[in-house]
Amino acid sequence: LIDHVIEFNYGRAEDRFGRIGHEMGIDMRGMDSSTRRRALIDEVRRLKHAAGVISTLSERRVHKADLGDLARKALADPCVVTNPRRPGAGDLETIYAEAL
């Protein structure tokens, strides 16, 4: 889900994601915000693929009917408190749907 979560959070933590991109070896000089975001997400997806993390949630037998329950569980996770952007259940369902 990391690439979808970055997409969701990017606008609220551009500096943080810029540092992450830099540490990943992405030369972001001269790029506008949208291009930096795309470069970071593309690199994360490349790394996921290289690590063999290539299946979608639907390939893992997650169905659209599961998304509400997954979103509720994610909202109860203590990590959501440190998220740069406060998600609602609908936001989380959208993130999960994009990963199907």
Side-chain angles (χ1 to χ4, degrees):
L1 295 175
I2 189 67
D3 43 341
H4 302 286
V5 173
I6 291 170
E7 185 79 48
F8 177 77
N9 285 313
Y10 191 86
R12 295 280 172 91
E14 281 191 57
D15 289 343
R16 184 184 311 174
F17 288 118
R19 289 190 307 273
I20 291 168
H22 174 76
E23 292 301 322
M24 292 175 73
I26 303 169
D27 183 1
M28 296 183 169
R29 292 175 293 184
M31 292 182 186
D32 63 15
S33 176
S34 178
T35 306
R36 285 191 306 271
R37 178 178 39 84
R38 182 84 270 136
L40 176 60
I41 291 169
D42 287 348
E43 181 63 10
V44 166
R45 287 181 176 153
R46 187 195 68 73
L47 288 171
K48 282 175 55 176
H49 187 75
V53 182
I54 55 175
S55 61
T56 63
L57 289 181
S58 59
E59 291 169 335
R60 295 282 188 175
R61 298 186 182 100
V62 175
H63 302 95
K64 192 168 184 157
D66 300 320
L67 302 185
D69 189 44
L70 289 171
R72 281 187 293 283
K73 288 178 181 178
L75 281 174
D77 188 307
C79 293
V80 79
V81 175
T82 61
N83 201 61
R85 183 175 167 194
R86 296 294 172 144
D91 296 319
L92 294 170
E93 286 184 42
T94 298
I95 291 168
Y96 283 120
E98 291 170 350
L100 283 175

